[in-house]
Amino acid sequence: MMYNVKHWQIYLIFLFAITFISCKQSNRPDVSNIQVNIKIERFDKELFAGKNKNIIDIDKQLGSKYGVFYDDFIHRILDSKYSNTESLANLYKDQAYTDLSKEVDSVFPNLKVQEEGLNETFKYIKYYYPKAKIPKFISFASGFAYQMPVGDNYLGIGLDMFLGKDSKFYRAIVQSVPLYISRRFAPEYIVPRVAETYAHEELFAEPDDNRTLLSKMIFQGKVLYFLDQVLPENLSDSIKIGYTQQQLDWVQNFEGDIWAYFLENNYLYETDYQKIQVFLSEGPFTPGLGENRDSAPKLGVWMGWQIVKKYMKAHPDVTLQQLMADNDAQKILNQSKYKPKQQK
């Protein structure tokens, strides 16, 4: 009998140790006491709900509730040259707008999942940057014109650009937008895109003197490292950087070779925008690398991210805020001791 008790005690201690270790794996700060209550305002629903009502009333209602955003929606997003009421009348007459609104509504009957993700993300953002102002989040549909406009105290979420591959509108999007961009027009990309847009627009402006590829790599790498700290933890690296799983496998596999290629060609200190842009911008692949166009795009961004991760691992005393404020890209590279192995 004693044996059994002991056995169970050991088992429980072992179980507790595992739980404790797995909890400790997350080095995230405790943000349970930070108050954030994000609700995404459904401009798209309210606009569509006004379809058979008095247009003057709808115009007043939307104008008083949404202010600057409503004005921007009519005159910038829809790019209408007409008055608000005429613009609404034209929109409500357009069958394509009705079809799109119904589709958005069926994919997003509510935005609870997105609101939960944003609440978690912004708790961490507020933990690191208590003075950060959280904008109003407003969802809309614009007929694939805008995905995430940032305006005066608002961040817009174009839900029609996150409908996912199963949407009947997907084919229409694919015809007008390259596949390497449109494949990310899916619901799970909303929260990371909001966080990335917010980081670039509100928190971290790129210094004007970032001219070299290295300085741009480290800047973009720092933003991705920041997203690692604030986005929901179960979010994959491929979604953060927008790679397919194959592209992620490719860069991880050839990390040393890509780095050698950068060094051999003296790309790190290159300042010619045309030459370095190929390593920073969106694309289906990187020209000149990989076989059968199987290389990943944005290699500079991905490399910068790995360097920053390595630097932070080597410097546990450096805070996230200190990292984000440090614009010495050369120092970060040197002190990261980044030397990935090449393929044999």
Side-chain angles (χ1 to χ4, degrees):
M1 192 62 194
M2 275 304 288
Y3 167 75
N4 278 351
V5 171
K6 260 212 149 65
H7 180 77
W8 270 105
Q9 278 177 337
I10 288 166
Y11 176 70
L12 283 172
I13 288 166
F14 179 66
L15 204 74
F16 176 72
I18 288 181
T19 322
F20 186 69
I21 289 163
S22 58
C23 292
K24 287 305 276 181
Q25 282 317 173
S26 167
N27 299 323
R28 293 216 167 181
D30 177 9
V31 293
S32 53
N33 61 343
I34 295 177
Q35 292 306 304
V36 171
N37 185 23
I38 290 172
K39 290 271 180 279
I40 301 169
E41 297 181 34
R42 293 296 299 260
F43 175 80
D44 53 304
K45 279 191 182 231
E46 288 181 52
L47 177 63
F48 189 59
K51 189 173 178 202
N52 296 314
K53 298 183 181 149
N54 181 307
I55 280 193
I56 294 167
D57 292 345
I58 294 301
D59 176 49
K60 275 199 185 118
Q61 192 185 317
L62 293 173
S64 71
K65 181 165 178 185
Y66 290 98
V68 179
F69 174 79
Y70 177 52
D71 201 54
D72 285 351
F73 178 78
I74 299 284
H75 301 293
R76 291 185 179 183
I77 294 173
L78 294 184
D79 199 21
S80 174
K81 306 284 180 279
Y82 302 103
S83 70
N84 289 0
T85 47
E86 283 173 298
S87 305
L88 290 179
N90 291 337
L91 198 60
Y92 290 146
K93 268 191 264 173
D94 185 350
Q95 187 57 42
Y97 165 71
T98 297
D99 293 345
L100 182 61
S101 297
K102 286 180 174 165
E103 177 73 359
V104 166
D105 222 38
S106 73
V107 177
F108 297 107
N110 62 62
L111 295 172
K112 282 199 180 80
V113 172
Q114 287 72 25
E115 287 170 343
E116 275 168 27
L118 289 177
N119 274 311
E120 186 184 337
T121 298
F122 274 87
K123 278 184 177 190
Y124 287 111
I125 290 177
K126 290 290 266 187
Y127 173 85
Y128 292 111
Y129 294 93
K131 290 199 179 83
K133 287 232 300 267
I134 300 179
K136 271 190 197 150
F137 295 99
I138 302 171
S139 64
F140 67 96
S142 65
F144 318 115
Y146 284 86
Q147 190 178 35
M148 211 155 271
V150 176
D152 187 13
N153 196 30
Y154 73 75
L155 195 152
I157 301 170
L159 293 179
D160 48 332
M161 309 221 10
F162 292 101
L163 293 172
K165 278 195 168 58
D166 300 331
S167 162
K168 60 182 178 197
F169 283 92
Y170 194 72
R171 277 191 213 92
I173 302 174
V174 169
Q175 280 165 355
S176 57
V177 179
L179 183 66
Y180 64 86
I181 293 176
S182 64
R183 67 175 175 73
R184 294 184 303 225
F185 288 176
E188 65 270 22
Y189 277 93
I190 290 180
V191 174
R193 287 287 304 136
V194 167
E196 185 192 4
T197 302
Y198 181 83
H200 279 286
E201 296 288 334
E202 298 296 326
L203 296 176
F204 315 116
E206 182 166 15
D208 289 338
D209 52 3
N210 272 13
R211 298 259 185 265
T212 63
L213 176 61
L214 177 63
S215 62
K216 289 179 177 297
M217 281 166 62
I218 299 295
F219 174 76
Q220 299 289 358
K222 289 196 307 183
V223 172
L224 274 161
Y225 183 84
F226 168 79
L227 294 179
D228 283 333
Q229 314 312 310
V230 300
L231 282 169
E233 281 183 276
N234 57 357
L235 203 74
S236 69
D237 280 358
S238 54
I239 284 188
K240 283 177 204 156
I241 195 166
Y243 280 174
T244 60
Q245 191 54 51
Q246 287 87 333
Q247 288 171 337
L248 189 64
D249 293 344
W250 186 87
V251 286
Q252 286 171 342
N253 207 8
F254 292 107
E255 187 174 351
D257 303 79
I258 302 161
W259 184 238
Y261 174 78
F262 276 27
L263 296 179
E264 282 157 20
N265 291 285
N266 288 326
Y267 283 137
L268 293 186
Y269 306 103
E270 181 60 70
T271 54
D272 181 332
Y273 191 70
Q274 295 308 111
K275 282 185 187 161
I276 63 181
Q277 205 43 22
V278 71
F279 302 118
L280 299 167
S281 54
E282 299 287 357
F285 59 94
T286 300
L289 278 172
E291 289 164 27
N292 307 323
R293 303 183 159 192
D294 63 355
S295 60
K298 297 202 289 196
L299 293 179
V301 179
W302 192 80
M303 264 337 179
W305 190 13
Q306 308 318 304
I307 293 166
V308 170
K309 279 192 215 179
K310 211 154 178 323
Y311 170 78
M312 289 302 277
K313 207 168 178 189
H315 297 80
D317 53 323
V318 174
T319 67
L320 180 63
Q321 297 91 324
Q322 285 168 334
L323 169 75
M324 299 313 290
D326 188 347
N327 294 320
D328 190 341
Q330 188 65 53
K331 179 192 95 181
I332 290 173
L333 170 61
N334 293 351
Q335 294 188 5
S336 73
K337 301 203 171 21
Y338 180 71
K339 284 186 182 67
K341 287 188 173 62
Q342 282 179 258
Q343 294 273 25
K344 291 281 182 283

